[in-house]
Amino acid sequence: MKCKSSVRWYDVTSCGYYKHGETAAPVFGDISSMLAELVHFAKGKKLAQTRLLGSDDTLGTYLAGISSHDGVYVISLWNQVSGDTSNAVKSLPEDALVGQAKAVKTKIAKGNIPGYPTYFVVLPAEGVVGTLKVRDNVPGLDAFKRYANEFLSTSTRQTVTKLAKGEVEILGYRQSKKDEIAKLHPRMVLQVRRDKDRAAYIRENAEKVRKVVRSRTLNVLANPSDFTLWQSFLKAVGMSSKHAGKHEMHVKHQVDVNNDAPAIIALVDEHEHTVVPKDNDFGFVFTGQSEPHWLSNALCNTSFEIDVPAVNGVFLASDLAVKIAAKKAAIIATL
C-alpha cells in the first residue's frame, strides 16, 4: 500500500546519564546506547511487559516494536485508550511479542489493549529523532519523550535496583558492573530542528505582510470549541448548521493587515514551534506576491511516499524501517 508520509525532525540535545545540575555532557550514554538498550529490553518481551516501571498514567504506553535497517531505526509505540466495549476499536493482543503484534479491529476482547500507534524514526549518526506520520496517524511526540525518559530512568542495564518491602527501589546508575553506583540524572531532551533562514525571512519582512492566512483542521466531534467555530463558518456562508458527519474539517481563512510588523513578529514567535502543515499553520502573504509563506516551512520536515503493508491501518516497525532506509540518502539531504 503506497502511503504519503512525512517526518518532522528534532535534534537530540541531551541523552544519557548526567551529574545533577550539569547539562553539557553526560557521564555516559548517548542516543546510540539508548537504542541498543531498547533493543535488548524488547527482546523476547510480550507487549504487556513493556509498560514501564514508574509509569503512573492510568492509560499505558507500550513498546510495540523497534527495528533497524542500514542505520535507520523505527520505534512504534502503542498508546492505550479507554475503549467502548460496545464498538469495534483497534487493539493489540497483550501477550503478542514486541515487533510481531498485529492489530485487530473488533469489540474489545479480554487480553487486548485498545489504542492507537505512533511511529518515530531515529538516525543516530545524525543525532536526530523524527515523528513519522504515515497516512493519518498522530505524531505523539510527548508520549515518546515520556517513554524514553522513563526507560532511561528505570529499565536499562545501567539502572541499579533492589527490592524493598515489595517495591523496586532505584539505587543509582553505572555504565558497567565493575563501576561504582552513582546518583545520576537520566535525561533525553529533543529540540525542534528548524530552517532558521525561513522564519527569519518572515520576521525581517514583517512590515511587508498584507495578509495572514490561517489553516486549521477542526475536530468537530471531539472538541466543542472546534464544533462552535465550524458552525459559525457554516452560518457565515448561509449553509445548514449540520456538518457532514466527519470527525475532522479543514478550514482556511485570512485577514488583511496593514503595516503591523510587531504583531506579525509576535505571531511568529508564539507559534513557530507548534505549527503543523495544513492542520495548524499560518501563512504570510507579502506585498506584490500572491502565495503565502507558510510558517511550518521554517521547521525541518521531510515528505515521501512508501509502499508498506498494514494490518487494520497499523504498520510493523520492521516494515517501516526497511522502506525508510531505502530513502536514507534523500532524507539526510533534507536535514
Side-chain angles (χ1 to χ4, degrees):
M1 176 186 300
K2 277 196 173 182
C3 305
K4 291 184 177 180
S5 309
S6 63
V7 182
R8 172 163 293 179
W9 295 105
Y10 299 81
D11 289 309
V12 181
T13 56
S14 298
C15 189
Y17 297 87
Y18 295 76
K19 290 183 179 179
H20 287 274
E22 294 188 9
T23 59
V27 176
F28 60 86
D30 55 21
I31 187 64
S32 294
S33 62
M34 190 192 84
L35 290 169
E37 287 299 311
L38 266 175
V39 170
H40 180 268
F41 169 78
K43 190 174 181 180
K45 277 193 171 59
K46 296 178 180 179
L47 182 69
Q49 297 173 309
T50 65
R51 182 170 179 172
L52 297 179
L53 173 71
S55 175
D56 56 3
D57 293 338
T58 303
L59 300 174
T61 301
Y62 302 83
L63 180 62
I66 177 169
S67 184
S68 65
H69 191 81
D70 191 22
V72 175
Y73 283 78
V74 172
I75 297 170
S76 171
L77 296 181
W78 188 254
N79 307 270
Q80 187 179 12
V81 299
S82 53
D84 181 349
T85 57
S86 64
N87 293 317
V89 297
K90 291 179 184 178
S91 64
L92 293 182
E94 62 180 16
D95 61 353
L97 292 176
V98 173
Q100 299 179 22
K102 294 185 178 180
V104 295
K105 189 172 183 180
T106 59
K107 293 181 180 179
I108 301 172
K110 185 178 180 180
N112 277 29
I113 303 171
Y116 61 92
T118 47
Y119 309 102
F120 308 90
V121 182
V122 188
L123 303 178
E126 284 69 34
V128 294
V129 172
T131 53
L132 173 62
K133 188 172 183 180
V134 189
R135 294 170 64 187
D136 57 357
N137 70 284
V138 298
L141 181 65
D142 288 343
F144 175 79
K145 291 190 292 186
R146 189 164 56 248
Y147 194 91
N149 278 285
E150 286 178 355
F151 176 73
L152 287 172
S153 298
T154 66
S155 303
T156 67
R157 286 173 289 183
Q158 289 75 46
T159 307
V160 183
T161 63
K162 76 171 184 179
L163 194 63
K165 296 180 180 179
E167 293 186 358
V168 176
E169 178 184 347
I170 296 174
L171 302 178
Y173 305 93
R174 60 188 178 190
Q175 189 168 10
S176 67
K177 290 184 178 181
K178 66 182 181 181
D179 297 325
E180 291 186 4
I181 301 170
K183 297 291 186 181
L184 300 174
H185 180 54
R187 182 169 64 250
M188 197 278 287
V189 178
L190 302 178
Q191 183 175 345
V192 66
R193 176 168 282 213
R194 290 183 293 159
D195 183 341
K196 296 180 180 178
D197 292 341
R198 297 187 187 185
Y201 179 82
I202 297 172
R203 290 189 180 94
E204 290 168 3
N205 293 275
E207 75 282 354
K208 299 178 183 177
V209 174
R210 62 184 181 86
K211 288 183 181 179
V212 176
V213 184
R214 184 76 163 99
S215 177
R216 299 179 60 187
T217 296
L218 304 178
N219 192 330
V220 296
L221 295 185
N223 191 323
S225 62
D226 281 0
F227 179 79
T228 300
L229 182 59
W230 173 244
Q231 297 297 289
S232 69
F233 282 135
L234 290 176
K235 185 177 181 181
V237 296
M239 295 179 64
S240 167
S241 62
K242 294 182 179 179
H243 62 78
K246 296 180 180 179
H247 288 270
E248 294 182 342
M249 299 291 182
H250 179 243
V251 298
K252 188 182 291 185
H253 46 109
Q254 66 183 36
V255 293
D256 294 332
V257 295
N258 183 24
N259 195 25
D260 196 356
I264 298 299
I265 293 171
L267 188 64
V268 172
D269 291 344
E270 181 180 356
H271 296 285
E272 66 175 320
H273 297 297
T274 58
V275 288
V276 177
K278 185 178 176 180
D279 290 342
N280 179 33
D281 208 352
F282 292 86
F284 301 88
V285 181
F286 297 109
T287 300
Q289 298 181 9
S290 58
E291 294 298 320
H293 292 254
W294 293 103
L295 186 56
S296 63
N297 288 342
L299 304 181
C300 188
N301 299 296
T302 305
S303 297
F304 49 84
E305 274 195 351
I306 51 176
D307 190 356
V308 61
V311 177
N312 288 311
V314 178
F315 303 91
L316 292 179
S318 55
D319 292 334
L320 291 170
V322 170
K323 296 297 184 179
I324 294 172
K327 299 178 180 293
K328 180 181 176 181
I331 289 171
I332 290 175
T334 68
L335 298 177

